[in-house]
Every structure is written in structure tokens, then in C-alpha cells.
Amino acid sequence: MTAEEENLRADARANRDRILDVAREALAADPTASLSSIAKAAGVGAGTLYRHFPSREALVLGVYRTEIDALVDLAPRLLAKHPPLEAFRLWCDRLAKFGRMKYGIADIVHAATSEQNIQETYGPLINAVREMMDACKGSGDIHPEVDAEDLLMLLGLLWRIPPNAAGQARTKRLLALIFRGMGAKNTAAPDAVPS
Amino acid sequence: MTAEEENLRADARANRDRILDVAREALAADPTASLSSIAKAAGVGAGTLYRHFPSREALVLGVYRTEIDALVDLAPRLLAKHPPLEAFRLWCDRLAKFGRMKYGIADIVHAATSEQNIQETYGPLINAVREMMDACKGSGDIHPEVDAEDLLMLLGLLWRIPPNAAGQARTKRLLALIFRGMGAKNTAAPDAVPS
DNA sequence: TGAAATAACGGAGAACTCTCCGCTTAGTCA
DNA sequence: TGACTAAGCGGAGAGTTCTCCGTTATTTCA
């Protein structure tokens, strides 16, 4: 997953970084900012932007790469400190919270689920989920036939929920439903969700 | 929900019908057919098409309105013939099947979940779900706190699954997970899903 | 029936996405 | 260090989406 960043000619790499910098600001200010305006602001042609990020989704994923990596890193750390099921619950809460912060951009990420050019960023996320699920299966906390990709699909849904009070309640209900659907017993207090 | 069809001037209504006719064919042939090409084929200006259907989603929902209505009508008929939970399961299977047939268009429908101008078509679907869920709650088959809109969000997800063999397996797994999440006991044979 | 009122039309045009391909330049090797 | 060779650039342009608003048609009602 670093292949896209290494083996790049110096100028290409500089352009890539510059585009990401500009895009981070532009998208934060307005999630619908046009790609051509981002290209112009970064001082590159549209072709250059599209070569590096073939779609809006790819660019967004690039921009939030850091946050996604952090989420991936979090998984083993939680597993080390908590029983599997609890670790998994906490991780999902964090994932939901991340989506809540990025609402308006989240649907783009979600739409990207099945695109190949996204798999590179998406893959590590799947691995993190799988790792946690395997731990939970090992401890008998969830059904063994539940699939990591299935689950990530469901979790991606959480990112499409508006970040208001009603949305937070819905997130809580859906997470509860999903965990129950995976066969988890009601061990966690439903109010233990950190804000 | 008929307000959009009544109170229309004669020419407007004729245009609306013609657009739907043309769009049905054009979208069946190519789900990415441009809206301007559809407008041209229907012999109306772009403005007219957009006034009737403010977005691609609205047009698609209009085109599949018949099928959606059929799905809505199906709910009470199933409830009359089967125990609540079984009726609900059968209905969800039909919903999944519908999505499978319309793959490529389904994501558009899914994306429209929170748009107001879609609520008219979306509303009856929610009502159908609520009706079945209430029956299931009445018979104690599912948890009382599960929400109809939550569930429809989850079911909408099924429409985004590719209609191949792997996709069908995933659909089955997800439906099983969702029903388990709602608190349903494993009553239905997992192979009872009609193709 | 003949205006007046207003619902609806339709296409020009602004803004955008994405591709194509001739040109430029970084890396390489004798 | 001077060319050679791809990798990379960038902008023109084709195709879209969606809006705006002057024009046209349908109702209504006197």
C-alpha cells in the first residue's frame, strides 16, 4: 500500500503532496469544492490531479489517509488492553465518531467500497476489522461465520448518518443491532459509548 | 403521495409521462444514460426534465415507482398468509431480489435516502416495513426498540451488493445477521430463500 | 368567448468532470 | 557530462449536470 507513494519521480511526488495539502484545506472549507479548482489551487493541470487521484473518492481517501491509518493502528492497541469483544466495541465507536466528524465526505468514502483503486486504503481497514473479529471468534464472543467485509459494509453505513442528536441515537441503536446480529451477548453497558 | 401527479396541467402531465416512458427504456439499456439525452429523446428541454425530476435519483425512483408500489402492496398480503416473522423474512427476500435486478441503479436509490424530494416514494416503503415490524413486535418475535427507518437503511445496503454468486451469499449472511440483530430466533431454514 | 393570470416550457449557458495526447523534464548510463 | 528514454505534465476539449429566465400554452372567469 506504499507502492503508490514510493517509486515516484521527485516532481510527481511533490505534486502529489501539494495536491493533498491543498485538497485538505479546500475540502474542509467546502466538501463539494470542484476538483478543477483544487487542481488550479495546487498549480497543476487537471490531468495531473486525475492521474494521482482518479476520482473524488480517491482524493478524499488520500486526504484522510492519516486518520484512517490511526484507526488501523488503534486496533491492536485496544486488543492488548481489553477483552476482545470490548476492544471491538470501542473500536467501532471510534469508527462511528470518525464518520461523524467527516459527515458530508463520508458518503464518498462509502460509495468507494467496491472500487479497486480504493482497495489499497480500504484493505488495511478490513484487516483491522478482521483482526478484531478473529479475536472475538477465538473467545467465542461472536459467531464464526460473520465476515469482515460484510461488517465493514455495515459500519460504513454509520458514516452516512447525520451527526445530530437523532443521528447519534440511531448510531447507537444500529451498533447494538449489529453486535447482537454478530451473536454478541449484551455485556457492554449501552451508555458506555464515549462521546 | 399522489400530489405530484394530480394538480398538474394537461401538458405537464403528458410531458411527465413521456419522460418516464423514455427514461424507462433508456435506463434499462444503459443505467448511465445522460439526462440531457433522455430529455432530448422525450422531446422536452432539459429544464422540463429537471422540473419534473430534480435529480437523477428522482427520475429513477419515478421509473421504478410501479415496482416499489408492488413491494408495498405485498406486505399486507404476506402478513395475511404467514406468521409475522416469516412474512417479514419473505418480504425482505423480495426486497433484496428487487435490488439485485436493478443493480447499477440501486445505489442511486440508496443515496437518496435522506433527500426530502424522495420521501414521497420512500415513505410508503417505510410504512410497509413498519407494519411488518409491528406485527413481529406484537408476536414477540423481535425486540421492540428496533426502528423501521434504521432497518430500511440496512436493507438499502442489500441493493448495493453485486448480483453475482458471491453477492448472493453475502446478501444471505447479512439478512441473517440483521434478523438476528433484531432479536429473531432462528426459525426459518436458511435455504428457504426463493431465488 | 376573449382576455388576464399563471403554470409550464425549453434551450442557452455556466460550471464541472474526466480524457487524450503532444510536450517537458527527471533519472540513467556510457 | 551529454544524450536517451520514459515518467510525468498540463491544458484543450468533449460530454454532463443543472439553472435561469424570456417565451408559450392552458385555465379561469367575467
Side-chain angles (χ1 to χ4, degrees), chain A residues 110-111 143 145-147 149-150 153-154 157 160-161 170 173-174 177-178 180-182, chain B residues 110-111 143 145-147 149-150 153-154 157 160-161 170 173-174 177-178 180-182:
Chain A
H110 182 249
H143 284 185
E145 83 267 22
V146 180
D147 180 75
E149 279 192 60
D150 291 359
M153 265 190 104
L154 291 171
L157 205 59
R160 314 203 70 216
I161 298 176
R170 166 163 298 174
R173 283 197 306 271
L174 282 174
L177 188 150
I178 291 169
R180 218 183 297 131
M182 287 193 297
Chain B
H110 183 249
H143 284 186
E145 83 269 19
V146 180
D147 181 77
E149 278 193 60
D150 290 0
M153 265 190 104
L154 291 170
L157 204 61
R160 314 204 70 216
I161 299 174
R170 166 163 299 174
R173 283 196 309 270
L174 283 175
L177 187 150
I178 290 169
R180 219 184 295 130
M182 288 193 295

Side-chain angles (χ1 to χ4, degrees), chain B residues 28-150:
Chain B
D30 172 15
T32 71
S34 81
L35 297 193
S36 38
S37 73
I38 290 176
K40 187 178 291 181
V44 301
T48 299
L49 190 153
Y50 276 89
R51 197 169 333 98
H52 283 295
F53 305 100
S55 64
R56 176 173 281 266
E57 302 91 87
L59 180 59
V60 170
L61 276 184
V63 165
Y64 287 108
R65 177 68 178 273
T66 309
E67 283 88 335
I68 291 175
D69 285 349
L71 220 38
V72 169
D73 288 349
L74 184 63
R77 301 210 327 267
L78 285 176
L79 277 178
K81 287 198 181 173
H82 302 273
L85 186 59
E86 193 186 331
F88 198 12
R89 281 191 202 272
L90 288 171
W91 191 84
C92 287
D93 286 340
R94 275 295 286 274
L95 188 74
K97 194 177 161 195
F98 170 67
R100 212 176 299 139
M101 284 164 42
K102 308 304 175 195
Y103 184 68
I105 289 179
D107 56 342
I108 290 165
V109 177
H110 183 249
T113 299
S114 51
E115 311 286 332
Q116 304 90 319
N117 62 12
I118 306 297
Q119 298 293 18
E120 275 184 29
T121 330
Y122 193 66
L125 217 44
I126 292 230
N127 289 339
V129 169
R130 189 170 293 123
E131 191 184 355
M132 314 201 76
M133 285 183 51
D134 284 346
C136 290
K137 289 176 184 175
S139 60
D141 285 320
I142 67 174
H143 284 186
E145 83 269 19
V146 180
D147 181 77
E149 278 193 60
D150 290 0

Side-chain angles (χ1 to χ4, degrees), chain A residues 57 102-112 156 159-160, chain B residues 111 160:
Chain A
E57 300 91 87
K102 308 303 177 198
Y103 183 69
I105 289 180
D107 57 343
I108 290 165
V109 175
H110 182 249
W159 290 358
R160 314 203 70 216
Chain B
R160 314 204 70 216

